[in-house]
Amino acid sequence: MLVGFDANNVFRNNGELGEWSRSLVEGIVRRHVTDFRALLFSTRIKSMYRTYFTSYANVSTYVPEGVSRLLPSAWMRYRLNGWLTMERVKVFHGMNEEIPYGIGRDVKTVVTCFGTQEHHNTSLLDSMLWKRRMEYAWRSSDVVVAVNEEVKDELLELGVNERRVIVIGEKNAFAVTEKVMDQYYDLYSQLASM
């Protein structure tokens, strides 16, 4: 099974979201060495994470090259579809609460939502754009994963289709347990077979 990931949190976030993302990907690739391959797409990689996944043969990392390095966010949002098609990715997981615009119909999409409250202190414009990208992901993804029941309730209040929202997580939203890894793996398998 081949799954693409928005790995910006994996390679750029030193906080809880980064730790959660690294734990999820590492746990799944370690437990499913022979039947799972992860493609990690990131706009850049912090030097402290440059060798994080190099010991895993079933992980490939992609960053923008050439002219795309000038506008890495545009590469991630608009040009990633070419990579997904070229690599024949069947499932894409937006772990950064967003997915590329116009992703192909043959790629099933999952977006994980940690909460709908502002959790990112930047400029007003950046905050508005972030919210717009998250709302696009909630509307466009095949599956929206809420990390707990409270987040699911928030999503439903915002009008996200209940049939597409599932809960994967424990009481502690940032705990990546074996159960959580198994639930994500099962979700990827189900979507890849559609």
Side-chain angles (χ1 to χ4, degrees):
M1 177 177 16
L2 181 61
V3 178
F5 292 89
D6 173 342
N8 276 326
N9 280 336
V10 170
F11 293 120
R12 296 177 54 196
N13 189 319
N14 297 334
E16 291 178 317
L17 291 176
E19 184 58 37
W20 182 92
S21 299
R22 284 184 292 279
S23 295
L24 179 67
V25 173
E26 186 172 26
I28 292 174
V29 298
R30 192 171 359 106
R31 294 175 74 187
H32 300 279
V33 174
T34 59
D35 66 343
F36 187 86
R37 184 167 166 236
L39 304 183
L40 306 179
F41 297 92
S42 183
T43 54
R44 68 182 173 84
I45 300 174
K46 284 187 175 181
S47 60
M48 64 192 298
Y49 300 119
R50 209 169 293 285
T51 60
Y52 199 87
F53 285 102
T54 55
S55 63
Y56 295 100
N58 57 338
V59 176
S60 299
T61 303
Y62 298 88
V63 293
E65 296 177 348
V67 176
S68 295
R69 288 186 353 204
L70 299 174
L71 294 168
S73 294
W75 174 82
M76 183 66 96
R77 288 189 198 98
Y78 302 104
R79 308 255 320 154
L80 201 59
N81 295 327
W83 284 99
L84 298 176
T85 301
M86 183 177 70
E87 292 286 348
R88 295 189 175 119
V89 171
K90 295 293 181 197
V91 179
F92 183 83
H93 184 174
M95 293 192 298
N96 196 30
E97 299 184 303
E98 56 186 296
I99 59 171
Y101 288 107
I103 201 162
R105 293 178 191 243
D106 55 335
V107 178
K108 299 298 180 193
T109 52
V110 177
V111 65
T112 297
C113 185
F114 298 94
T116 61
Q117 303 302 316
E118 297 296 324
H119 59 272
H120 145 296
N121 297 327
T122 56
S123 69
L124 179 61
L125 176 62
D126 193 39
S127 199
M128 288 173 20
L129 292 172
W130 180 265
K131 184 176 180 187
R132 186 174 175 180
R133 291 192 305 262
M134 285 193 315
E135 288 172 348
Y136 171 79
W138 302 336
R139 284 191 319 273
S140 304
S141 292
D142 294 295
V143 177
V144 179
V145 175
V147 294
N148 58 39
E149 290 293 336
E150 293 80 20
V151 172
K152 179 181 179 181
D153 293 342
E154 289 177 35
L155 290 166
L156 297 180
E157 285 178 23
L158 290 169
V160 179
N161 185 329
E162 185 172 7
R163 288 177 285 149
R164 293 186 302 113
V165 179
I166 64 171
V167 176
I168 295 179
E170 312 286 338
K171 271 279 192 213
N172 177 357
F174 294 98
V176 178
T177 62
E178 288 188 14
K179 178 182 175 185
V180 167
M181 287 183 252
D182 288 343
Q183 288 175 312
Y184 271 104
Y185 181 81
D186 291 345
L187 175 61
Y188 301 150
S189 298
Q190 180 183 6
L191 290 172
S193 67
M194 294 176 94

